[in-house]
Amino acid sequence: MSYIVIYSATRQAAAIYLKNRVQKCWDNSAAAKKRADYFDIAQSERDSLRASIFPLIIASPSPNVTIQLTTTLRVMIADDFPEKWPDMMNTIKTLLGSSDIKEVMAGCTAILEVVKVFRYVTSTVVRCSVLICLGRY
């Protein structure tokens, strides 16, 4: 069995690249698509990233990588939750109920990011839908 050593700087660079790519290209609005640096992220890749962002945060080897992944998660939440990512709260609830401290920390981080995204929202429709979703858990 071979073991590949990936240095922390390389992991951090990959996390920064992912964060930057998601920040620039996760939004599918017409205004975002007009930007010169826009690159469309396929729906299959979006689904894959939604499924793997929490395991990536849990397995993160350093706080520097975790910060980048958490920022990525915030961008995804802002664009996708609750309409495009309705099962996110179930995942967070599972993480918070875990006996593994890394999973609990990832759940706490995710809830904090949800609060950060929606704390200044003035639309009562959006606020009510988020509160209803949060209230279920």
Side-chain angles (χ1 to χ4, degrees), residues 37-106:
D37 60 348
Y38 182 81
F39 176 81
D40 191 31
I41 300 174
Q43 188 59 43
S44 61
E45 293 173 353
R46 291 170 184 266
D47 294 339
S48 177
L49 188 54
R50 280 188 210 110
S52 61
I53 190 70
F54 291 114
L56 286 171
I57 291 171
I58 293 165
S60 176
S62 74
N64 294 333
V65 173
T66 304
I67 289 169
Q68 303 306 321
L69 294 172
T70 301
T71 304
T72 304
L73 176 63
R74 185 181 322 132
V75 172
M76 294 166 59
I77 290 170
D79 194 57
D80 291 355
F81 182 73
E83 295 87 14
K84 299 175 192 169
W85 200 2
D87 63 331
M88 183 189 71
M89 291 306 295
N90 289 331
T91 305
I92 294 172
K93 182 181 177 184
T94 303
L95 293 173
L96 291 172
S98 174
S99 60
D100 181 6
I101 192 67
K102 288 185 176 187
E103 291 182 4
V104 174
M105 185 64 181

